[in-house]
Amino acid sequence: PDDRPCAHKSESNQEKVHGPLHPSMGPPQFNPIRDVISGAIMAATSVPQLIAYAELVGYAGYRGLTTAGAPLFVFGAATGSPWMNAGVTSLTAAMAKTDLNGENYLAKYGEEQYVELVAAYSLYVGMASVLMAFVGFGRMASYVPTSVKVGFKWGCELGVFASALPNGLYAFGSTLKATVAASAFGEVVASVKQTIPGATGISGCANIVFALTHPQTWSASAASIFFCCTVFVMHSKAYLPKSLPPGSEVVMATAAATAYSIYNNYDGGVVGEIPTIDSDAGLSFLGGMIRVPVELMDIKALLSVPIAERCFGGSLAKLLVTAGVFSAINFLSIVGICSGFESDNGVKWSASRELVAQGVSNLAAAASGSAPVSGSMSRSLVSRMTGASSQFACLTTALLWIYMMPYMSVMSPTPKAALSAVIVSAVVKNVFLPKKIMALRGVDFVVGASTAACTAITSPTLGFGAGLILHVLARVLVPQTKEKKQ
């Protein structure tokens, strides 16, 4: 594998993303106290996201809490970055649900079998990541064309927006889906899917158009919570004390929504009961002196889950290719984060090590019943800003999530509309004002916009592949002198 650090190409671009260059260059000096504080802040501020992204995957929100600790702990033990943080993100959640046709699978087989399906997919993504690391893919990932990455990101963000909107504007998200299916929009969706069987994303696009053009169908209470929380999360930072840790606005918004739900007997969708783990369950060490309350799935059983038969037309090859593409796309997030830390702080990194870390953390995700995980930009930046000095901060966060589960029932009455607001607040600006796509010129704009449309209408895998093909065709057919260098 290629263990050379990936050089960062543009400091100015990273400054726009990560802020001004940090005055301290090189890895920070190890400080366990700072790591514990940083890990605790991350654990507390990320809880609403864990629940929200589980809902985005398509299963019960509490599963985001019960399955987050193990993958993060393994990632923390494997990564070489002091600040890298990983978990289920809006992108991995939306991609997994789309690749597995989650809504239809849930309706046909139920949630328990869907959880097994998602865990099995994480297993294949993990194995693909490790294999790709050992064949040297890590270094190649940095050469994905900018136009493809920009268009793909927008298409995925639109999918995230489409998945979160139903629970935001309606008391129960299924209301929107049923209403659209029975309308003229549903007929158009059915027609498109009959013509293009891979157009799984068209349903989400139809849901967005219908919901935004039919406000009379919204639930007043759910929509009010949704809009208030979205505005607060997006704009309150400017008015809150600077001493508060990043993510405090998310905790405040969900706490206020939860209080409203309790005192006003909110009758819309909520997180619901969070099951407690049996005191004798989980892993045991030193003759029972140390217990880790994590329930693990049978890996051999996951290999027997009929994922290829039910989701990929019976083709194992299609499953493996899709898992490989998923792994590659996931790794682009890690490349961006680590390259930024290298540029801003002089923290070197190994592409193959981080790809292996992605792989083994996805194997842990499979064992714990989680959706695929990847590097999280927001959580990684929070780790740096809160003073983390080593991977011990990441491990602290993971252990707190694992051992604090008995106290998470406080989130049971949290409205799903508030969790949808957390998700939407992260993507809505770029969805409605795609500045990076608009900044592309000439053939790059055509490639970026086409990649975006294909990703939104079909699936992330097809959209990414189509983008790469379009880029190659553009390079062949368009004279280089007429194309602006990237």
Side-chain angles (χ1 to χ4, degrees):
D2 183 9
D3 282 316
R4 292 176 296 175
C6 288
H8 182 62
K9 297 181 180 179
S10 173
E11 282 191 0
S12 60
N13 288 340
Q14 285 300 325
E15 284 189 57
K16 295 176 183 178
V17 177
H18 298 277
L21 295 181
H22 198 281
S24 175
M25 298 300 287
Q29 185 175 359
F30 177 61
N31 187 322
I33 296 178
R34 284 169 50 193
D35 285 342
V36 169
I37 294 173
S38 176
I41 292 173
M42 177 61 64
T45 56
S46 297
V47 166
Q49 286 184 333
L50 300 182
I51 299 174
Y53 294 155
E55 294 279 351
L56 191 58
V57 174
Y59 45 51
Y62 77 84
R63 295 186 187 275
L65 298 172
T66 60
T67 62
L72 181 60
F73 188 89
V74 172
F75 183 86
T79 183
S81 171
W83 300 312
M84 271 297 300
N85 215 284
V88 177
T89 66
S90 58
L91 177 60
T92 62
M95 286 176 59
K97 186 176 182 180
T98 302
D99 285 349
L100 301 175
N101 200 5
E103 289 185 12
N104 290 341
Y105 198 95
L106 272 166
K108 189 172 184 179
Y109 299 104
E111 183 171 332
E112 291 301 321
Q113 289 195 47
Y114 181 59
V115 170
E116 293 179 355
L117 180 81
V118 171
Y121 194 44
S122 295
L123 180 64
Y124 284 101
V125 170
M127 291 189 294
S129 297
V130 173
L131 178 61
M132 290 162 68
F134 280 96
V135 298
F137 174 82
R139 189 164 178 263
M140 293 187 291
S142 60
Y143 295 102
V144 174
T146 299
S147 56
V148 175
K149 288 191 288 186
V150 168
F152 172 79
K153 185 173 183 288
W154 185 89
C156 287
E157 286 178 339
L158 185 69
V160 169
F161 182 77
S163 296
L165 200 63
N167 281 325
L169 299 179
Y170 298 84
F172 298 94
S174 56
T175 302
L176 173 62
K177 298 163 189 174
T179 304
V180 171
S183 69
F185 286 83
E187 295 178 3
V188 173
V189 169
S191 177
V192 171
K193 285 186 175 181
Q194 187 174 4
T195 305
I196 310 173
T200 54
I202 190 65
S203 298
C205 296
N207 288 346
I208 293 174
V209 176
F210 182 92
L212 297 183
T213 56
H214 294 76
Q216 70 275 15
T217 63
W218 299 352
S219 162
S221 57
S224 297
I225 293 173
F226 173 71
F227 284 118
C228 287
C229 289
T230 301
V231 171
F232 184 84
V233 170
M234 293 180 67
H235 300 290
S236 63
K237 293 179 184 178
Y239 306 99
L240 293 174
K242 302 299 181 184
S243 58
L244 290 176
S248 296
E249 69 281 357
V250 173
V251 175
M252 291 179 181
T254 51
T258 302
Y260 173 86
S261 174
I262 294 172
Y263 291 109
N264 292 278
N265 295 317
Y266 178 67
D267 58 358
V270 296
V271 171
E273 182 181 358
I274 299 177
T276 56
I277 189 170
D278 190 278
S279 58
D280 295 326
L283 304 177
S284 177
F285 303 96
L286 301 178
M289 292 179 61
I290 299 178
R291 288 190 176 277
V292 183
V294 175
E295 291 184 336
L296 299 180
M297 305 184 76
D298 185 346
I299 295 296
K300 291 183 179 180
L302 291 181
L303 290 172
S304 301
V305 172
I307 181 172
E309 292 78 6
R310 293 179 177 178
C311 301
F312 297 95
S315 172
L316 179 60
K318 186 176 179 181
L319 165 60
L320 296 177
V321 169
T322 304
V325 172
F326 194 111
S327 302
I329 294 169
N330 262 9
F331 190 59
L332 293 178
S333 298
I334 293 178
V335 170
I337 298 167
C338 288
S339 295
F341 289 155
E342 182 178 17
S343 173
D344 294 357
N345 305 93
V347 177
K348 301 296 182 181
W349 64 289
S350 163
S352 61
R353 177 171 179 173
E354 297 306 324
L355 190 49
V356 168
Q358 173 180 288
V360 295
S361 61
N362 272 289
L363 296 180
S368 60
S370 168
V373 299
S374 181
S376 168
M377 172 72 81
S378 60
R379 297 177 209 171
S380 298
L381 293 178
V382 169
S383 290
R384 183 178 67 173
M385 287 187 288
T386 52
S389 68
S390 73
Q391 298 91 324
F392 186 57
C394 191
L395 300 177
T396 299
T397 300
L399 291 174
L400 285 173
W401 283 344
I402 291 171
Y403 284 101
M404 294 300 289
M405 268 306 300
Y407 307 99
M408 291 300 179
S409 57
V410 68
M411 300 291 294
S412 294
T414 301
K416 292 185 178 182
L419 301 177
S420 292
V422 173
I423 297 172
V424 168
S425 63
V427 300
V428 65
K429 281 187 178 180
N430 193 47
V431 165
F432 288 99
L433 188 62
K435 292 182 179 179
K436 290 187 177 181
I437 292 181
M438 294 164 62
L440 297 173
R441 294 292 180 265
V443 71
D444 285 342
F445 175 81
V446 175
V447 172
S450 299
T451 302
C454 189
T455 301
I457 294 173
T458 59
S459 70
T461 303
L462 291 177
F464 190 74
L468 292 177
I469 293 173
L470 284 172
H471 175 78
V472 172
L473 290 176
R475 290 288 181 182
V476 172
L477 300 177
V478 178
Q480 295 295 307
T481 54
K482 295 183 180 181
E483 186 178 351
K484 182 180 178 180
K485 289 186 178 181
Q486 296 187 27

